[in-house]
């Protein structure tokens, strides 16, 4: 979504999952009209054929090429042995001036059940540093939680499939 009165360009970049190779054209510019939206179905298949899993990084640019606000969201559908509709979660980012060391971000509403699961994508947007993330899961109703540690190289991505069960926890809300 372009919340401005100018036509903006959304620059979409794909960071393939670890082990996958980025396609030759790993970025794409999409114009967005003033106060308008741009919808792309099957983003990876349409914009980046050959990439099965990865992270999308979306930057907004104004007509002069300066950074501009754009809002991006995603909904997933998986045609695998565990078919289901992905849970929509807002992305969390650290501001450029925040060193993020020891910082925490909270995502509420993670769920796991017979027909629901939460997959969590983690991305290291730095160009030079390997970064360690700790994902802590705390049950909404109290009790013991669990955590997962993930290390990512520069520009690395990792998808944690069914993060609740991957952490060894029972179905429920976290």
């Amino acid at each position: 979504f372009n919340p401005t009165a100018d036509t903006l360009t959304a620059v979409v970049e794909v960071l393939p999952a670890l082990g996958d190779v980025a396609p030759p054209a790993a970025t794409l510019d999409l114009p967005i009209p003033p106060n308008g939206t741009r919808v792309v179905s099957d983003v990876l298949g349409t914009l980046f054929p050959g990439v099965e899993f990865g992270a999308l990084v979306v930057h907004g640019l104004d007509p002069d090429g300066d950074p501009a606000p754009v809002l991006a969201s995603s909904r997933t559908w998986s045609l695998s042995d565990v078919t289901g509709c992905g849970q929509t979660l807002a992305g969390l980012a650290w501001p450029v001036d925040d060193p993020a060391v020891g910082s925490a971000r909270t995502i509420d509403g993670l769920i796991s059940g017979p027909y629901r699961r939460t997959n969590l994508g983690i991305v290291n947007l730095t160009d030079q540093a390997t970064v360690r993330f700790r994902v802590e899961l705390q049950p909404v109703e109290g009790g013991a939680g669990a955590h997962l540690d993930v290390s990512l190289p520069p520009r690395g991505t990792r998808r944690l499939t069914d993060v609740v069960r991957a952490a060894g926890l029972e179905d429920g809300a976290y």
Side-chain angles (χ1 to χ4, degrees):
F1 172 71
N2 172 2
T4 74
D6 294 317
T7 295
L8 299 181
T9 299
V11 179
V12 182
E13 175 185 11
V14 66
L15 299 179
L18 293 176
D20 285 352
V21 177
T27 63
L28 184 66
D29 295 348
L30 298 171
I32 306 175
N35 295 305
T37 60
R38 180 75 186 255
V39 176
V40 179
S41 296
D42 187 9
V43 175
L44 290 179
T46 302
L47 303 181
F48 305 103
V51 176
E52 291 186 35
F53 299 104
L56 297 174
V57 180
V58 181
H59 307 276
L61 299 176
D62 70 13
D64 296 324
D66 294 323
V70 292
L71 304 174
S73 68
S74 176
R75 182 116 174 121
T76 60
W77 177 257
S78 174
L79 295 175
S80 65
D81 336 0
V82 187
T83 299
C85 197
Q87 179 180 0
T88 300
L89 299 172
L92 296 176
W94 275 261
V96 174
D97 57 350
D98 181 354
V101 174
S103 296
R105 300 295 187 264
T106 301
I107 303 172
D108 294 320
L110 303 185
I111 54 174
S112 184
Y115 304 103
R116 299 180 185 183
R117 69 184 187 282
T118 299
N119 298 337
L120 185 62
I122 303 174
V123 183
N124 176 0
L125 292 176
T126 67
D127 289 325
Q128 300 173 354
T130 294
V131 178
R132 192 184 103 210
F133 296 87
R134 171 163 281 185
V135 178
E136 295 185 5
L137 295 142
Q138 298 298 324
V140 169
E141 296 184 12
H147 70 269
L148 298 166
D149 289 321
V150 177
S151 280
L152 292 174
R155 315 261 312 149
T157 68
R158 172 97 185 268
R159 182 177 108 175
L160 300 175
T161 302
D162 197 350
V163 67
V164 171
R165 288 189 187 117
L169 297 169
E170 299 293 322
D171 289 349
Y174 293 85

